[in-house]
Amino acid sequence: GAGVSQSPRYKVAKRGQDVALRCDPISGHVSLFWYQQALGQGPEFLTYFQNEAQLDKSGLPSDRFFAERPEGSVSTLKIQRTQQEDSAVYLCASSLSTGVEQYFGPGTRLTVT
Amino acid sequence: AQSVTQLDSQVPVFEEAPVELRCNYSSSVSVYLFWYVQYPNQGLQLLLKYLSGSTLVESINGFEAEFNKSQTSFHLRKPSVHISDTAEYFCAVTPTRDSSYKLIFGSGTRLLVRP
């Protein structure tokens, strides 16, 4: 079956622009996670959804970062007024409601110039 | 809070040689442990996990890891590596009683297999 998909795969934004990154989780997966992976580092947790409810957003680095999952399926991570330090790969993962195992998408590489 | 340490940023090894990638963690609560592999321009793939039971876990492609609670370690080993094993390897933990099972990752170890 289809895995987790993310779009776009690559995004170049000028400093100050807003960007929107999309994640399509595996069908039927209740939990959805966003992670940020800076160059040469491991992924860091940003936020977590269970269905449409955002239950944990403790990892969002600033109020410029916003995530939503309005219908409990597709999720969008929005970054307003992008800064150079936002340059990273943004990974989305999904899992079953009772599952510990997360399935990752290929990521979106964001470059802010 | 939890943290994961992967001391080796890069491990070069010759093909067919054994390899060990080290992972140590810090946590005041019980954790589940994972190894993920990331090939270039791809997402993370679960390699193996420890949830409970036998402390030695194995993957289908010959990797194994052993959970050592007293040393808070979960080192990854393979007795004979292939060129195709060249990738970035990440160790991760999540508290067993976490409501979301969000993962805390180490900084990764790049395994470079040479012919």
Side-chain angles (χ1 to χ4, degrees):
Chain A
V4 178
S5 61
Q6 293 185 246
S7 61
R9 290 293 312 277
Y10 304 90
K11 177 69 178 177
V12 178
K14 292 186 177 179
R15 190 164 60 93
Q17 283 184 333
D18 298 348
V19 298
L21 313 180
R22 177 188 169 106
C23 172
D24 282 86
I26 294 173
S27 178
H29 278 196
V30 170
S31 298
L32 186 144
F33 304 80
W34 284 98
Y35 294 86
Q36 180 190 58
Q37 185 177 16
L39 188 64
Q41 300 297 317
E44 292 191 359
F45 170 79
L46 293 176
T47 188
Y48 159 69
F49 289 86
Q50 188 173 83
N51 294 305
E52 68 278 5
Q54 188 175 20
L55 299 184
D56 188 346
K57 53 182 180 179
S58 61
L60 296 177
S62 78
D63 58 7
R64 296 186 295 105
F65 286 71
F66 172 76
E68 61 183 5
R69 194 186 185 197
E71 298 179 357
S73 178
V74 171
S75 177
T76 303
L77 176 67
K78 297 179 179 178
I79 309 173
Q80 297 177 326
R81 305 180 303 281
T82 53
Q83 303 294 317
Q84 279 197 315
E85 61 263 29
D86 300 334
S87 295
V89 175
Y90 290 85
L91 296 168
C92 176
S94 68
S95 68
L96 294 168
S97 60
T98 57
V100 177
E101 183 172 337
Q102 295 180 27
Y103 297 83
F104 283 81
T108 295
R109 181 177 297 278
L110 173 64
T111 303
V112 181
T113 61
Chain B
Q2 293 73 43
S3 65
V4 177
T5 301
Q6 293 181 252
L7 287 174
D8 304 308
S9 60
Q10 182 166 299
V11 173
V13 64
F14 287 107
E15 192 175 18
E16 298 183 4
V19 71
E20 178 180 80
L21 306 183
R22 296 180 293 168
C23 171
N24 288 86
Y25 70 93
S26 173
S27 178
S28 58
V29 299
S30 296
V31 294
Y32 296 132
L33 300 108
F34 306 84
W35 276 100
Y36 280 85
V37 59
Q38 187 175 38
Y39 299 101
N41 296 318
Q42 294 186 28
L44 297 164
Q45 299 174 28
L46 181 65
L47 190 58
L48 43 76
K49 60 182 183 281
Y50 173 77
L51 303 182
S52 65
S54 172
T55 56
L56 183 66
V57 291
E58 299 177 350
S59 72
I60 59 173
N61 56 355
F63 283 94
E64 65 178 31
E66 186 161 19
F67 170 49
N68 188 318
K69 189 174 182 179
S70 63
Q71 297 186 3
T72 60
S73 68
F74 191 53
H75 301 330
L76 182 69
R77 302 184 183 95
K78 189 171 186 180
S80 176
V81 295
H82 302 133
I83 296 287
S84 60
D85 292 325
T86 294
E88 189 91 20
Y89 292 79
F90 293 95
C91 181
V93 302
T94 189
T96 59
R97 298 194 177 205
D98 193 79
S99 59
S100 69
Y101 297 132
K102 63 187 177 190
L103 295 168
I104 299 97
F105 287 89
S107 56
T109 297
R110 179 169 299 279
L111 176 62
L112 180 59
V113 182
R114 297 166 173 167

